[in-house]
Amino acid sequence: MVSSRPTSSTSRGTKKTRRGGADCDTARIGFVGAGKLATAIITGLISQRGQVDPKRIYVSAPTTINTDSLKITYPGIHTSKRNIDIFGRFDCDIVFICCPPNVIRSLYKIGGSRPAALTTNFIPNMRHPVYIISLVFGFTVQQIKECLLNPENPGRYTAQFFRCVISHPIAYGVGHWWIDTEPDSERFPNLVREIFTRIALIEYVPESLLDTVCIIVGSGITFCYYFINAIADGAVKKGMPRKMAVKFAAKIASSTSQTILTTDINANQLKEDASSPSGGAIYGQMILDKSEVSSGICGAIEASYKRSQTLALTGKTENIE
Ligand SMILES: NC(=O)C1=CN([C@@H]2O[C@H](COP(=O)(O)OP(=O)(O)OC[C@H]3O[C@@H](n4cnc5c(N)ncnc54)[C@H](OP(=O)(O)O)[C@@H]3O)[C@@H](O)[C@H]2O)C=CC1
């Protein structure tokens, strides 16, 4: 699946000679954090239509647990234990901030009146535009800025900041980027737009809604897989082979989603339209209601939100259940 399209990453100048900004085929793409979301984006960029040479990917994380496995999967990726390398030594053009929210909260805790730097020293003033895209739940763009830019002289930077949420299927070329800036506007950099659109659809969401989107997308996706599996379990119970059952369940989920998106008809109405009087579907729905599935899912979304909020507000990672 790895793209064979050649890129000109090796032909770009060294830090000394680089100026004016990179293009789609030369941009260095950095990640602070190497967990599930960074891996999903990296997989999309390298394996799907992203056509990015692994040599243009730079990742930092405090341990080598995740970076080692990335290096095995995608030989050529550069890694470091120091976040500052993403901006300094590796001199990236686009940087995704993908560390957990408690990490950012702890910077605010130890920093006193202003946060400590995520990069040990604040990031250098790079001689080319750098686009910094935060995926961190619970922190505004302004707060992320404060953890990276030198407060003595924040105005001297050429860095532009954005906040975004991704859907995990971005790894398979079928995801979304939800971003706090209109993707067609002048404020949205061409370089970022071109790289984003290679692997997924981009949609605007106001920053004030991004925490909720983060939970609906981050946890909602896992709940959808859970629901698809549950439907498949029912079919397996009736004797259908597992693989076939999962495919059927996934196709049902796909066509129902498409119906909602293309018709704009309310999901409740569509549910009623698909249930015949005294038919099997309504009998099944009674069981779902009795089992409080709807309020259970709603509660699960709320629990996910609360957990992320705890990480972001207190910085505490202990298991509270
Ligand atoms: N859909 C979306 O866009 C969503 C976004 N999020 C947000 O995305 C972010 C990443 O989530 P996810 O990938 O699931 O998290 P993971 O727990 O899978 O990975 C976290 C990564 O951050 C690294 N890390 C820990 N401390 C630091 C540090 N001080 N500096 C740099 N890296 C550090 C970890 O390092 P190591 O490899 O050494 O363990 C690990 O690689 C979170 O902020 C989360 O709130 C959450 C839900 C949905």
Side-chain angles (χ1 to χ4, degrees), residues 94-275:
I94 299 175
V95 179
F96 292 94
I97 308 294
C98 305
C99 58
N102 48 293
V103 168
I104 305 293
R105 177 54 57 202
S106 65
L107 298 176
Y108 274 86
K109 278 188 175 168
I110 58 176
S113 60
R114 57 191 185 203
L118 177 61
T119 44
T120 317
N121 301 311
F122 289 101
I123 65 172
N125 180 18
M126 295 148 98
R127 284 165 295 154
H128 57 86
V130 55
Y131 306 112
I132 300 173
I133 300 158
S134 170
L135 278 85
V136 184
F137 174 92
F139 287 89
T140 62
V141 156
Q142 182 54 33
Q143 288 173 302
I144 299 294
K145 254 184 205 178
E146 288 168 359
C147 301
L148 290 171
L149 305 186
N150 188 336
E152 305 301 334
N153 201 352
R156 72 189 172 132
Y157 287 96
T158 49
Q160 229 179 306
F161 285 75
F162 302 92
R163 195 177 156 199
C164 109
V165 168
I166 63 153
S167 61
H168 191 267
I170 221 166
Y172 310 102
V174 288
H176 275 83
W177 308 92
W178 286 280
I179 188 127
D180 63 349
T181 306
E182 284 283 1
D184 294 333
S185 70
E186 280 182 9
R187 236 189 67 73
F188 200 62
N190 282 334
L191 174 63
V192 179
R193 185 186 306 111
E194 281 172 34
I195 288 185
F196 274 24
T197 46
R198 280 185 181 187
I199 61 170
L201 298 170
I202 321 176
E203 276 176 25
Y204 164 72
V205 173
E207 187 177 7
S208 58
L209 292 179
L210 276 175
D211 278 347
T212 307
V213 173
C214 195
I215 298 307
I216 294 176
V217 172
S219 305
I221 280 179
T222 65
F223 302 164
C224 287
Y225 288 130
Y226 184 94
F227 194 59
I228 287 170
N229 255 335
I231 291 180
D233 281 345
V236 173
K237 199 170 171 207
K238 298 309 295 173
M240 188 182 276
R242 164 75 51 188
K243 208 171 171 184
M244 192 187 237
V246 171
K247 263 196 176 162
F248 267 110
K251 281 181 183 166
I252 291 161
S254 169
S255 58
T256 46
S257 309
Q258 282 311 314
T259 308
I260 291 174
L261 291 173
T262 53
T263 65
D264 218 20
I265 301 172
N266 180 298
N268 261 334
Q269 180 64 51
L270 289 167
K271 181 162 71 81
E272 278 175 30
D273 291 350
S275 311

Side-chain angles (χ1 to χ4, degrees), residues 3 5 44-52 56 195 198-199:
S3 162
R5 193 180 143 206
L45 288 172
I46 296 173
S47 307
Q48 299 297 329
R49 292 166 294 160
Q51 303 177 336
V52 172
R56 289 204 281 131
I195 288 185
R198 280 185 181 187
I199 61 170

